[in-house]
Amino acid sequence: MATPLATRVVLPRSGPSPRASSSSSSRPPSSLRLGRRPSSLLRCSSPQADAAAAAAPGKGSEYRPSFADDLLLAFFRSKMVEEVGWDSEKPGYAGLMEVANRLMIKGKSASETEQSAVRVLRSLFPPLLLVLFKALLAPIANGQLASVMVALSCQWLMGPCSVNSVTLPDGKSWSSGVFVEKCKYLEESKCLGICINTCKLPTQTFFKDHMGVDLYMEPNFEDYNCQFNFGVQPPPLDTDKALREPCLDICTNATRRRELGRNSSPDELSCPQV
């Protein structure tokens, strides 16, 4: 979770000292020192993640979960277990992925799996909170508030992310996007179907129907980043490019299916779970 920046306040001394007067001429006025222009990019990372990035320059940032993140993961997993009716013996994120796989198996169709995932998302919030958000907060700033909320609260599930600008339907640019550098949920699941049916589609539906905010998610299945576009309506399913992607290279069945379908059409190589 992002933590507030600590503010250091220096009180003036009662009288000037020789040391202070000698150095004061070399310092710029306090108004110049404090008058930094705020960045338009809201960086959302934990102190642990920042320390890891500083210790390993040149490498992608790595999110180190905190104790609070572990509690959120356990809470999310418990709600998914309630929906599935089964739990994995594996601890932590590995166990969560097995429960997500079971959620896919349980659904008789992609639509049924999506609705199950929506119920899981709804169970994470008190019903009254969703009603109030949809009525009072959703109309504010074209989804900008929702983007900040996601960036601040969901790194334990997705990894490092930041708020960025998106182009709204009216052509205006607005800071209502969230960019996930490398989605841990997608990378660990190793399955395009799990990404689409237990994350992308249900999350879009949840924000639209229960929080009153349009959302279009664009996962990148080559490097596993993901762009959240709040305030933007998703395209119809038959034109959504994410649903027409082939199996991931890291999918356990992808290599065998590609060998069997080497001379087949691209449609026959698409993920069978989508």
Side-chain angles (χ1 to χ4, degrees):
M1 297 294 178
T3 55
L5 297 176
T7 305
R8 184 180 178 185
V9 180
V10 180
L11 298 177
R13 299 181 179 180
S14 57
S17 64
R19 183 177 178 181
S21 60
S22 62
S23 62
S24 61
S25 60
S26 62
R27 293 185 180 181
S30 59
S31 60
L32 295 180
R33 296 201 308 270
L34 300 178
R36 291 182 179 180
R37 181 181 179 181
S39 172
S40 59
L41 181 67
L42 174 62
R43 180 65 183 170
C44 304
S45 59
S46 67
Q48 296 95 328
D50 292 339
K59 296 183 179 180
S61 55
E62 180 182 354
Y63 185 76
R64 303 285 183 90
S66 65
F67 177 71
D69 294 330
D70 292 338
L71 292 178
L72 290 171
L73 177 62
F75 178 63
F76 178 68
R77 176 173 173 171
S78 69
K79 294 300 183 180
M80 189 175 286
V81 167
E82 289 179 9
E83 177 66 28
V84 174
W86 176 87
D87 196 4
S88 168
E89 295 181 356
K90 293 183 180 180
Y93 213 97
L96 175 67
M97 288 295 96
E98 288 199 345
V99 178
N101 272 283
R102 183 61 65 95
L103 183 66
M104 285 285 297
I105 297 173
K106 179 183 177 182
K108 297 179 181 179
S109 65
S111 176
E112 185 173 320
T113 300
E114 177 189 342
Q115 292 304 315
S116 295
V118 170
R119 287 194 295 269
V120 172
L121 294 174
R122 289 182 59 189
S123 69
L124 300 174
F125 301 88
L128 181 59
L129 180 62
L130 293 178
V131 173
L132 292 176
F133 187 96
K134 185 175 183 179
L136 302 178
L137 300 180
I140 300 176
N142 292 313
Q144 189 173 24
L145 181 60
S147 67
V148 174
M149 180 185 70
V150 168
L152 290 176
S153 63
C154 294
Q155 293 187 88
W156 57 271
L157 181 63
M158 303 183 300
C161 57
S162 55
V163 173
N164 62 2
S165 297
V166 301
T167 302
L168 299 179
D170 59 5
K172 296 181 180 179
S173 180
W174 201 256
S175 297
S176 59
V178 174
F179 180 73
V180 183
E181 296 177 8
K182 191 172 186 179
C183 181
K184 185 175 182 180
Y185 191 82
L186 172 57
E187 184 179 23
E188 294 293 332
S189 70
K190 300 179 176 63
C191 178
L192 182 143
I194 290 180
C195 168
I196 295 296
N197 297 320
T198 72
C199 183
K200 171 182 160 62
L201 294 182
T203 302
Q204 291 177 171
T205 299
F206 171 75
F207 271 95
K208 174 63 175 179
D209 294 348
H210 303 287
M211 301 194 79
V213 179
D214 287 324
L215 170 62
Y216 174 39
M217 294 171 60
E218 298 179 279
N220 186 319
F221 297 114
E222 294 183 358
D223 58 12
Y224 312 133
N225 69 51
C226 187
Q227 175 65 48
F228 286 62
N229 303 286
F230 288 97
V232 179
Q233 291 185 358
L237 295 181
D238 57 351
T239 61
D240 193 329
K241 59 183 180 181
L243 276 66
R244 307 179 70 178
E245 292 285 339
C247 275
L248 302 180
D249 291 335
I250 59 175
C251 175
T252 54
N253 297 320
T255 301
R256 183 173 63 86
R257 293 184 67 249
R258 285 193 176 90
E259 290 176 352
L260 293 175
R262 183 171 297 167
N263 298 321
S264 302
S265 66
D267 290 340
E268 292 174 336
L269 295 178
S270 62
C271 178
Q273 303 291 346
V274 177

